[in-house]
Amino acid sequence: SGRHRVPRATAQLLAPVGDPEKVICVGLNYHDHCQEQGAKVPKEPLIFSKFPSAITGPFDDIVHPQDTSELDWEVELAAVIGKRGRHIEEAAALEHVLGFTVANDVSARDWQMRRNGRQWLLGKTFDTFCPLGPAIVTKEAVLDVHNLWIRCSVNGQRMQDSSTRHLIFRVPTLVAWVSRFVTLVPGDILLTGTPAGVGVFRKPPVFLKRGDEVQCEIEELGTICNRVV
């Protein structure tokens, strides 16, 4: 109607899904990300998770924990589930997806790679480690979700610059695979992996520090920007 509008500058955008039942993540899912670390291309999706309490808004702060000195960025395409399903056929998988949004899979690499028995969970799920937004773009509004540029910049310097066409396992494959193990429900979030350019595999490694600004953007989906505090 146009009658119920406020200026964007006066509104604080929250994460488009704030309290999902599940935040499901995929590791090693871009060919270029495997190459940058000398890892073999997985034969099956590598699944881990974040707690929903890690979610924060598209322009909110990322809190740098005192417990890590190796804070890293990971721009990711996120799919939002819109229809309940279990043992979903790959051919029907997109029927269970409402739409897509931008995520940053913030990671404490020391906890992910060396501590806690090298299980990934703690290093991935500190509070504020999942900025999400700026909105859900319905799948019908995206021309081809597997042909979008995906980028991340830190303090204006481009760190990641790739395309979703380099995904190893595409969205329908991931939805079908995960649904073999758990029931997917509306609001569940599926982070699909990050391309090359993360800090830990740079030579020398580069990690986020307080005061840094991280901008993640995906073509047709928008941009999120978070300051590290």
Side-chain angles (χ1 to χ4, degrees), residues 26-46 74 109 113 120 160 162 166-169 192-198 200-201 203:
V26 185
L28 295 176
N29 199 31
Y30 277 79
H31 289 281
D32 54 4
H33 186 48
C34 291
Q35 291 169 0
E36 74 174 341
Q37 57 187 290
K40 293 181 179 180
V41 174
K43 295 182 179 180
E44 296 175 335
L46 194 164
E74 291 191 10
R109 299 300 190 188
M113 295 179 169
W120 288 14
Q160 293 179 278
S162 189
H166 298 307
L167 280 164
I168 296 167
F169 302 104
T192 60
T194 199
V198 297
V200 69
F201 297 122
K203 300 186 184 340

Side-chain angles (χ1 to χ4, degrees), residues 56-136:
T56 192
F59 305 107
D60 291 342
D61 292 336
I62 297 167
V63 178
H64 192 308
Q66 295 180 350
D67 293 296
T68 183
S69 58
E70 298 182 3
L71 195 65
D72 207 347
W73 58 84
E74 291 191 10
V75 61
E76 305 208 7
L77 167 73
V80 181
I81 299 300
K83 178 182 175 183
R84 184 183 184 93
R86 180 82 197 276
H87 298 297
I88 299 167
E89 295 293 332
E90 189 170 327
L94 285 181
E95 298 174 13
H96 293 262
V97 174
L98 171 66
F100 304 97
T101 192
V102 182
N104 185 354
D105 177 17
V106 182
S107 305
R109 299 300 190 188
D110 39 5
W111 283 94
Q112 177 192 0
M113 295 179 169
R114 297 190 302 280
R115 304 186 66 176
N116 194 42
R118 293 190 292 181
Q119 297 183 69
W120 288 14
L121 176 65
L122 289 184
K124 294 285 191 173
T125 204
F126 283 92
D127 289 353
T128 74
F129 270 26
C130 190
L132 202 65
I136 299 171

Side-chain angles (χ1 to χ4, degrees), residues 99-100 137-146 148 219-221:
F100 304 97
V137 180
T138 58
K139 63 177 181 287
E140 294 82 5
V142 180
L143 186 62
D144 181 2
V145 74
H146 299 114
L148 304 174
E219 184 180 6
E220 299 184 30
L221 304 186

